[in-house]
Amino acid sequence: MNSTFFASIAATGFAVAFLHAALPTHWLPFVLVGRAQKWSTSRTLGVTLLAGLGHVGLTMVLGLALVVAGLALQPSLGGVFHWVVGGLMVAVGVFYVLRGRHSHAMPEASRTYGSDKAAIAALVTLLTLSPCEAFLPYYLAGMEHGWQAFLLLSLVLLAATSAGMLIFTALSLAGFKRLGLQWVERYEETILGAALILVGVAVAFFKT
């Protein structure tokens, strides 16, 4: 797998993470709670970023565990390892496509909290315990490039997630109530599944 192909994996991973962050579950709760608690825009965005860091952090931990497991299996699988990785990505992609009819449930966020600390803790916990599972196969796909690839993909995940969450939170706070993102929630899993299938096929057929 060459560096050019890895760059395409990173770019696809950025698009997947950004699209995932565009889901209302990743920014609307912060807007609703921020307004209920009468937070300033800067404070609402700060809490959004803090929750995003937790979201990315848990995803990185899971990605690290996946890479460690992959490194342990790689010697025994030898030359078929890229087929295993590609097949796994395709399988996950098919799962997402088949689950595409299932819509994300909007978390309870319109309630008020007794204190700002309680509100922040609830929002951060809510998102931290919901990692970006769609990004995990990208860690496995970039594993052959070593730990530098893991760090780069983690930065890609951090940048895409933070940008998506902050942009859509800021737009909503600025008065853009109709952001036209209903299609994201409706088709997100189908789009992510298709992306995983394409990358999985590429990983299987374009090693080195």
Side-chain angles (χ1 to χ4, degrees):
M1 194 184 298
N2 56 47
S3 57
T4 301
F5 185 65
F6 174 75
S8 69
I9 290 178
T12 308
F14 183 95
V16 165
F18 186 86
L19 178 66
H20 188 69
L23 284 173
T25 53
H26 286 63
W27 52 269
L28 185 56
F30 301 93
V31 174
L32 297 178
V33 172
R35 287 173 176 167
Q37 298 295 121
K38 303 186 185 307
W39 290 343
S40 65
T41 297
S42 60
R43 183 162 195 177
T44 302
L45 292 177
V47 174
T48 302
L49 180 59
L50 180 63
L53 293 176
H55 182 64
V56 170
L58 181 57
T59 305
M60 287 176 60
V61 170
L62 295 176
L64 178 61
L66 192 61
V67 169
V68 170
L71 289 173
L73 290 173
Q74 188 176 21
S76 60
L77 293 175
V80 301
F81 185 73
H82 64 289
W83 289 99
V84 174
V85 174
L88 178 62
M89 295 189 75
V90 170
V92 174
V94 170
F95 171 77
Y96 270 103
V97 170
L98 293 178
R99 204 179 69 171
R101 293 182 180 181
H102 176 71
S103 60
H104 289 262
M106 184 67 66
E108 179 64 34
S110 58
R111 56 168 292 190
T112 57
Y113 295 85
S115 68
D116 285 350
K117 288 183 179 180
I120 293 171
L123 289 171
V124 172
T125 301
L126 173 73
L127 204 60
T128 297
L129 297 181
S130 177
C132 184
E133 69 278 358
F135 193 86
L136 294 176
Y138 288 87
Y139 280 120
L140 202 55
M143 192 186 69
E144 293 186 23
H145 284 268
W147 293 110
Q148 288 184 339
F150 176 85
L151 293 175
L152 179 58
L153 287 171
S154 296
L155 290 175
V156 166
L157 174 63
L158 175 61
T161 301
S162 300
M165 290 178 62
L166 291 175
I167 287 172
F168 294 114
T169 300
L171 287 175
S172 185
L173 289 172
F176 290 82
K177 296 181 180 179
R178 297 180 62 87
L179 296 175
L181 295 174
Q182 294 84 353
W183 66 272
V184 175
E185 191 167 11
R186 178 176 298 180
Y187 298 110
E188 183 231 6
E189 291 189 331
T190 300
I191 296 171
L192 297 184
L196 284 168
I197 291 171
L198 290 174
V199 174
V201 170
V203 168
F205 285 96
F206 293 97
K207 182 191 175 186
T208 66

